[in-house]
Amino acid sequence: MGPAAHARAFVPDLDLALKIALFATLAASFDVVIGYTGIVSFGHAMFFGFGAYAVALAVGKLGAPTYGHVLLGFLVGMAVSATVAIVIGAFSLRVKALFFAMITLAFAEFALILAVQWSALTGGEDGLSPKLPGVFAAGAAGPFGLSGRLVTYYTVLAVCLSCFLMMRRFVHSPLGRTLQAIRDNELRAEALGYRTFVFQLVASSFGSVVATVLGAATRCGCAT
């Protein structure tokens, strides 16, 4: 029994394993925003979609797909998500949390309408199914006798683990403890001299960017 067979015996359904890893990490990124910071957001899935669309557009619209296009999709998606998160936070985090939730819901609905209606770019309701490069492509062979699918699985798993470790470091850092203090009593944190708006903006942007990375990884993992 080769290495690929051993791995498949251990994880009989790679698609299911990928979804568990990706969406568990996505839930953890949402917990950074709502659980550790106390910010209610109805638009977290929007940032997940930004990552998926960014990779799909980069490899599907820029000529022959390459690993460079995949990396470009990751970077552009992260930049767009950080910008949108900052814009949303700048407009709404200075007021009540309910207003922030309504703003995120409005942005999420707008993004959904844009994705469905702008079919020339996004593929509309059919979405995008670009050919991915190298081991990420359907039916590709990987190194050391492994299938491309198995290599993709471990690559996406490594991305999820890296994101999880970053989030763990984030919430257990002095910044994370400050965010928990703001969540528990924002007025007291302000009285102690903390700029609560800045801390909340950093937390919401961080969680949004992590969601974008996971969306981009989903595009790579689910295309083979």
Side-chain angles (χ1 to χ4, degrees):
M1 184 179 292
H6 279 295
R8 188 164 293 276
F10 181 71
V11 183
D13 190 337
L14 292 183
D15 288 329
L16 178 60
L18 280 175
K19 290 176 181 178
I20 291 172
L22 285 163
F23 288 107
T25 314
L26 178 64
S29 71
F30 186 56
D31 188 47
V32 171
V33 178
I34 190 172
Y36 284 89
T37 313
I39 300 173
V40 180
S41 173
F42 292 150
H44 202 66
M46 171 182 66
F47 299 102
F48 185 82
F50 284 165
Y53 271 112
V55 170
L57 290 171
V59 299
K61 303 289 186 179
L62 298 179
T66 65
Y67 291 119
H69 291 154
V70 173
L71 179 60
L72 178 63
F74 269 84
L75 296 177
V76 170
M78 292 167 64
V80 170
S81 289
T83 302
V84 172
I86 290 171
V87 170
I88 293 174
F91 275 107
S92 56
L93 279 175
R94 293 184 183 275
V95 293
K96 297 297 182 182
L98 181 61
F99 187 69
F100 178 82
M102 293 299 100
I103 290 292
T104 58
L105 179 61
F107 268 85
E109 288 299 315
F110 174 74
L112 176 61
I113 293 171
L114 191 66
V116 172
Q117 297 298 324
W118 198 357
S119 56
L121 180 68
T122 66
E125 294 182 352
D126 294 329
L128 298 171
S129 299
K131 179 178 173 58
L132 292 172
V135 296
F136 299 132
F144 310 113
L146 300 174
S147 67
R149 184 60 180 158
L150 195 60
V151 174
T152 299
Y153 163 71
Y154 283 116
T155 301
V156 174
L157 188 62
V159 171
C160 292
L161 181 60
S162 298
C163 289
F164 186 83
L165 292 175
M166 281 194 302
M167 289 185 288
R168 187 178 186 277
R169 182 69 187 93
F170 182 85
V171 299
H172 287 92
S173 67
L175 172 60
R177 289 191 288 272
T178 302
L179 291 171
Q180 294 175 60
I182 294 171
R183 175 201 63 193
D184 294 338
N185 195 321
E186 185 173 348
L187 292 177
R188 182 176 295 177
E190 289 179 348
L192 291 172
Y194 291 106
R195 300 180 62 187
T196 58
F197 165 74
V198 174
F199 284 100
Q200 290 172 329
L201 190 62
V202 169
S204 63
S205 300
F206 175 76
S208 300
V209 169
V210 172
T212 300
V213 172
L214 295 170
T218 301
R219 178 70 272 177
C220 295
C222 295
T224 55

